[in-house]
Amino acid sequence: QLVLDMQMVNEELQELDKLKNDFIAIASHELRTPLGIILGYASFLQDADDESTRGHASKVMASGLKLRRIIEDMINLRYLKQKSEDLQRDPLRLGDLIDDLKRDLLASTDTAHTLTIRCDDPELVVDVDRTRFTMALVNILNNATSFTPDTGTITVEAIQHEDDGVRITITDDGMGM
């Protein structure tokens, strides 16, 4: 009887874990889309002629970036316990990935960082789990923007490697990890 009770409790816990993971996946996806639009418009408004508008836009941008970090933490939590068999590998054009990173970095940075991006072959197609791969790169870029002085340089390089792979390197002038 005790073994059956334990099995039933284990099944209930697995179902709750699945519900949690599904909720995080849906919530993070549904929140990221409108948040991207909000951050985009806020970045445009930061260039306005009116001082008051720029100030309000900066507050919206700061709050939006804080919300984006919370969403990214939710996504990280979802993927923390996944195994390598759970990867959803799909073909991805390297140029699209680099463009997404550039847009993300420019939208999130309100400092004077110099951003340099080099990509050997933007048409090259890589086979990756886009969500997890992007998450890893965004986390590294967030670290770079947080710890690089305002006048520092952040460089992203995507170079084709001799084994038909791609090496993506992110360097900055910050204190390091």
Side-chain angles (χ1 to χ4, degrees), residues 82-90 128-129 132-133:
Q82 275 192 335
K83 299 176 182 138
S84 61
E85 306 88 60
D86 298 332
L87 291 174
Q88 300 295 318
R89 294 172 65 134
D90 293 307
V128 297
D129 183 317
R132 290 173 98 177
F133 192 67

Side-chain angles (χ1 to χ4, degrees), residues 74-156:
M74 287 173 46
I75 294 170
N76 288 342
L77 176 65
R78 176 177 174 228
Y79 289 115
L80 188 63
K81 291 187 177 183
Q82 275 192 335
K83 299 176 182 138
S84 61
E85 306 88 60
D86 298 332
L87 291 174
Q88 300 295 318
R89 294 172 65 134
D90 293 307
L92 173 65
R93 194 172 88 54
L94 189 58
D96 292 339
L97 174 69
I98 296 298
D99 289 344
D100 289 349
L101 288 174
K102 182 177 180 179
R103 186 182 62 245
D104 216 32
L105 188 60
L106 290 175
S108 68
T109 303
D110 57 354
T111 61
H113 291 126
T114 300
L115 175 63
T116 304
I117 297 181
R118 289 190 280 272
C119 182
D120 272 358
D121 183 3
E123 297 305 317
L124 184 68
V125 175
V126 292
D127 190 33
V128 297
D129 183 317
R130 183 179 191 145
T131 302
R132 290 173 98 177
F133 192 67
T134 303
M135 179 180 64
L137 292 175
V138 166
N139 284 337
I140 294 168
L141 283 169
N142 286 342
N143 179 277
T145 57
S146 296
F147 295 103
T148 299
D150 285 350
T151 57
T153 300
I154 299 171
T155 304
V156 179

Side-chain angles (χ1 to χ4, degrees), residues 12-29:
E12 289 175 14
L13 287 174
Q14 288 177 352
E15 180 63 27
L16 285 173
D17 190 51
K18 183 183 180 324
L19 288 171
K20 174 200 70 165
N21 287 337
D22 290 347
F23 171 77
I24 290 172
I26 291 168
S28 63
H29 175 73

Side-chain angles (χ1 to χ4, degrees), residues 46-79:
Q46 283 181 316
D47 296 333
D49 293 334
D50 180 29
E51 178 90 22
S52 176
T53 301
R54 284 195 310 266
H56 292 307
S58 292
K59 289 179 183 175
V60 170
M61 182 66 85
S63 294
L65 293 173
K66 183 176 182 179
L67 181 57
R68 188 173 72 182
R69 279 186 219 101
I70 291 169
I71 293 168
E72 288 168 0
D73 288 345
M74 287 173 46
I75 294 170
N76 288 342
L77 176 65
R78 176 177 174 228
Y79 289 115

